[in-house]
Amino acid sequence: MAPAHAEIARRTFATPPPQVKHSDLPVHEYHQYSDTTMDRMLESLETLLDDMADPEYEVEYGSGVLTLRLGSKGTYVINKQPPNKQIWLSSPFSGPKRYDYDPRTDGWVYYRDGTSLNDLLNQELSDVLERKVDLGLTNVSSQVS
């Protein structure tokens, strides 16, 4: 039989609420910048993988989703998220991240740690592929055609 005054254990968590930053970027500019970024990334990765000539490495892009397969080293998925005006990254090394366009840096930035999409991908791919990688994802607005 339970006591008349059963105590309920409560547990509080120190995890802060998600930090949501709503972009003021106009929708047409989001599409220009994200399309330019995805196209540049695809072009850079195709050139890199062609130079490496490893049959286990493959990149494909369609419907706003870029998939980079690096055989046993893992798979990256990078996709546009128009409702949030973001680019999302799923990395086999650093996990998921959501990037917003930052007009101050003219690039895509993960606001939780301030890292740019360009810097993170260049570093991770340079490490895993054991060669210097520069995808050229900077100065996004000047690359819009």
Side-chain angles (χ1 to χ4, degrees), residues 44-54 57 70 73 121-135:
S44 296
L45 289 169
E46 285 177 335
T47 300
L48 175 67
L49 298 186
D50 285 347
D51 290 347
M52 296 189 72
D54 186 322
Y57 297 171
L70 299 175
K73 297 175 181 175
L121 285 173
N122 287 343
Q123 184 62 57
E124 286 189 7
L125 292 173
S126 293
D127 290 347
V128 75
L129 299 175
E130 299 176 351
R131 67 187 295 171
K132 182 166 175 39
V133 173
D134 183 1
L135 299 179

Side-chain angles (χ1 to χ4, degrees), residues 75-79 88-97 99 124:
T75 299
Y76 285 86
V77 178
I78 303 157
N79 61 292
W88 288 7
L89 165 74
S90 175
S91 162
F93 303 102
S94 58
K97 294 189 182 335
Y99 291 87
E124 286 189 7

Side-chain angles (χ1 to χ4, degrees), residues 24-133:
D24 294 328
L25 186 67
V27 172
H28 74 279
E29 284 184 27
Y30 163 77
H31 285 293
Q32 285 179 324
Y33 296 164
S34 60
D35 287 342
T36 296
T37 300
M38 299 299 281
D39 290 343
R40 173 63 186 214
M41 192 180 325
L42 176 63
E43 180 182 307
S44 296
L45 289 169
E46 285 177 335
T47 300
L48 175 67
L49 298 186
D50 285 347
D51 290 347
M52 296 189 72
D54 186 322
E56 288 194 358
Y57 297 171
E58 178 183 28
V59 63
E60 56 188 32
Y61 181 60
S63 301
V65 180
L66 185 144
T67 305
L68 173 62
R69 291 182 184 85
L70 299 175
S72 63
K73 297 175 181 175
T75 299
Y76 285 86
V77 178
I78 303 157
N79 61 292
K80 293 176 54 175
Q81 280 294 319
N84 303 344
K85 299 180 194 166
Q86 295 176 324
I87 292 177
W88 288 7
L89 165 74
S90 175
S91 162
F93 303 102
S94 58
K97 294 189 182 335
R98 298 175 179 192
Y99 291 87
D100 293 278
Y101 177 76
D102 181 9
R104 292 171 295 142
T105 62
D106 197 13
W108 297 91
V109 174
Y110 181 56
Y111 283 126
R112 288 190 179 201
D113 65 10
T115 303
S116 75
L117 178 63
N118 184 66
D119 290 348
L120 180 87
L121 285 173
N122 287 343
Q123 184 62 57
E124 286 189 7
L125 292 173
S126 293
D127 290 347
V128 75
L129 299 175
E130 299 176 351
R131 67 187 295 171
K132 182 166 175 39
V133 173

